[in-house]
Amino acid sequence: MFHPKQVFIAVIGTGGVGRTFLSQLHFLGSKLCQDASSPIYLSTIVLSTSKKFISSTDYHPIHLDSWEKDLAASTTTPPSFSDLAEYLSKAPNKVVLVDNTSNETLAEAYPLFLKKGINIVTPNKKAFSGSYELWQNIFGAAANGSGIGGYVFHESSVGAGLPVISTLKELVETGDEVYRIEGVFSGTMSFLFNSFMPVGGGGSSFSAEVKKAKELGYTEPDPRDDLNGQDVARKLTILARLVGLPVESSTSFPVQSLIPSELEGCKSGDEFLQRLGEFDGKMEELKKGAASEGKVVRFVGSVDVAKNKVKVGLENFDPSHPIAALKGSDNIISFYTKRYGDNPLIIQGAGAGGEVTAMGVTADLIKVLRLLR
């Protein structure tokens, strides 16, 4: 005979990804509780932003139908992460913490939550691309690492909803030998270079393409956060560690920044965009150089496992190469392995956006729920 199971959910971050996740959570909760054979009741007991916080003192669920209004009306500020961990650890049933932020301090607190048996699902790259010591502490505490604490899943930290991490882990765990990982890991950079130098020629100036990308919502509010290459570097750090390379951090290997040194001191993103056109000549030279070889230029990341090398930056590709043929803001990740030989295993699709990122988070939540059964 099956008995109903209750799982408590704590959600931190209700921005673009968080808002969409809560919508998907509402759908998932309705579906799971209707399972006649083994119903699961998901009870949201915490909703938090950086400034507002609501929780249930008696662990009764928060109503998701009115969460935006209730959170906006809250006058409670978020507790410390140690106090939050203590509150969640006393819940009468299993708890999943859903971190939809890029908060570095919260990422550093993951071992604390995991050691208290609290499960974590997140797209927060900073938890897994920070210091190698933090990586070791997280998986040293996690039940799906070497510890006995809660489970942790982070599929959406690379490639949003694309099955990048799960595929790589399966390759490694089934004994395949991964030689190299290569790809376009940023939807922003994909869009920029597919527009700046499309196969067949054309494209506007680099500064014009950056401005267009920002207007369309493809860049961060400050485009420098994309152009410095660190977003890609963080993703490469995660993948390199998954294949066993002890990469110290996302700043411990070559990362090419596309921010002109003369503009590093700009006080705002707006000032940066206003002046970026002054340096279009340098990018035009790169475009012409690639064209003279019959190639196109793209912003890529790669992990050479045999040589223990990770790098991020511009490279030229033949128009027939899958990376050159990308459209829009798609990501493409190629795994070169012993089993797949000369034809890599390729994962391609939307690597950014609230819907697909939240889908990856929700899928990770489902993984945890299956393990808790």
Side-chain angles (χ1 to χ4, degrees), residues 25-36:
L25 177 65
H26 200 16
F27 169 81
L28 179 65
S30 299
K31 181 180 177 183
L32 291 177
C33 71
Q34 293 172 13
D35 185 344

Side-chain angles (χ1 to χ4, degrees), residues 83-343:
D83 286 346
L84 177 61
E86 186 66 19
Y87 164 75
L88 295 177
S89 69
K90 293 178 180 177
N93 285 300
K94 298 290 185 179
V95 177
V96 182
L97 172 66
V98 183
D99 172 19
N100 290 315
T101 77
S102 59
N103 186 310
E104 190 167 2
T105 305
L106 176 54
E108 291 170 350
Y110 282 6
L112 170 67
F113 286 95
L114 293 166
K115 287 175 183 177
K116 290 181 176 293
I118 298 161
N119 307 281
I120 299 172
V121 298
T122 182
N124 189 341
K125 291 184 285 291
K126 292 179 180 176
F128 310 97
S129 62
S131 71
Y132 190 61
E133 181 182 11
L134 177 59
W135 169 276
Q136 291 176 308
N137 289 341
I138 288 172
F139 288 101
N144 51 329
S146 58
I148 57 173
Y151 294 98
V152 60
F153 289 97
H154 58 106
E155 184 69 74
S156 289
S157 64
V158 179
L162 296 176
V164 178
I165 288 176
S166 55
T167 299
L168 179 57
K169 290 180 72 174
E170 287 170 4
L171 289 172
V172 173
E173 290 169 357
T174 58
D176 199 356
E177 187 175 350
V178 180
Y179 300 137
R180 185 161 58 96
I181 304 168
E182 180 183 61
V184 174
F185 294 87
S186 164
T188 302
M189 293 302 205
S190 180
F191 178 84
L192 272 178
F193 284 91
N194 293 340
S195 301
F196 174 62
M197 193 176 184
V199 172
S204 300
S205 67
F206 188 69
S207 62
E209 296 297 351
V210 172
K211 290 174 184 176
K212 181 169 71 174
K214 185 176 188 299
E215 290 168 0
L216 292 173
Y218 285 118
T219 73
E220 294 294 330
D222 186 337
R224 290 175 294 181
D225 293 336
D226 296 297
L227 297 178
N228 64 14
Q230 272 302 305
D231 175 67
V232 177
R234 289 185 182 280
K235 295 170 183 176
L236 266 291
T237 298
I238 294 168
L239 298 183
R241 288 172 174 175
L242 288 172
V243 294
L245 301 185
V247 177
E248 179 52 39
S249 74
S250 61
T251 59
S252 62
F253 52 85
V255 179
Q256 183 177 2
S257 172
L258 300 186
I259 301 173
S261 58
E262 297 89 340
L263 299 185
E264 289 178 354
C266 286
K267 296 180 180 179
S268 69
D270 289 339
E271 180 189 348
F272 170 77
L273 283 177
Q274 287 173 0
R275 295 191 56 196
L276 184 59
E278 299 171 20
F279 303 89
D280 278 337
K282 294 182 179 180
M283 295 303 294
E284 284 300 320
E285 288 178 15
L286 291 173
K287 182 192 280 192
K288 289 177 181 177
S292 69
E293 301 174 3
K295 297 181 178 182
V296 295
V297 63
R298 297 291 185 261
F299 194 87
V300 300
S302 63
V303 179
D304 188 324
V305 181
K307 295 181 180 178
N308 192 16
K309 287 187 176 180
V310 185
K311 65 177 181 177
V312 173
L314 295 172
E315 292 188 29
N316 296 342
F317 293 89
D318 290 321
S320 60
H321 195 286
I323 284 178
L326 274 185
K327 303 295 183 184
S329 60
D330 273 7
N331 284 188
I332 184 169
I333 297 92
S334 300
F335 296 116
Y336 293 84
T337 79
K338 184 175 183 179
R339 288 186 189 143
Y340 282 88
D342 295 331
N343 297 315

Side-chain angles (χ1 to χ4, degrees), residues 13-95:
T14 62
V17 173
R19 183 185 306 276
T20 307
F21 167 76
L22 285 166
S23 176
Q24 294 181 13
L25 177 65
H26 200 16
F27 169 81
L28 179 65
S30 299
K31 181 180 177 183
L32 291 177
C33 71
Q34 293 172 13
D35 185 344
S37 62
S38 182
I40 299 177
Y41 295 95
L42 302 181
S43 299
T44 303
I45 56 171
V46 166
L47 284 176
S48 180
T49 68
S50 60
K51 297 179 179 179
K52 291 179 176 289
F53 181 86
I54 55 176
S55 66
S56 170
T57 54
D58 52 7
Y59 300 101
H60 278 78
I62 295 167
H63 294 293
L64 292 183
D65 288 332
S66 59
W67 73 265
E68 289 186 77
K69 181 183 69 175
D70 295 341
L71 189 59
S74 172
T75 57
T76 304
T77 56
S80 67
F81 294 133
S82 59
D83 286 346
L84 177 61
E86 186 66 19
Y87 164 75
L88 295 177
S89 69
K90 293 178 180 177
N93 285 300
K94 298 290 185 179
V95 177

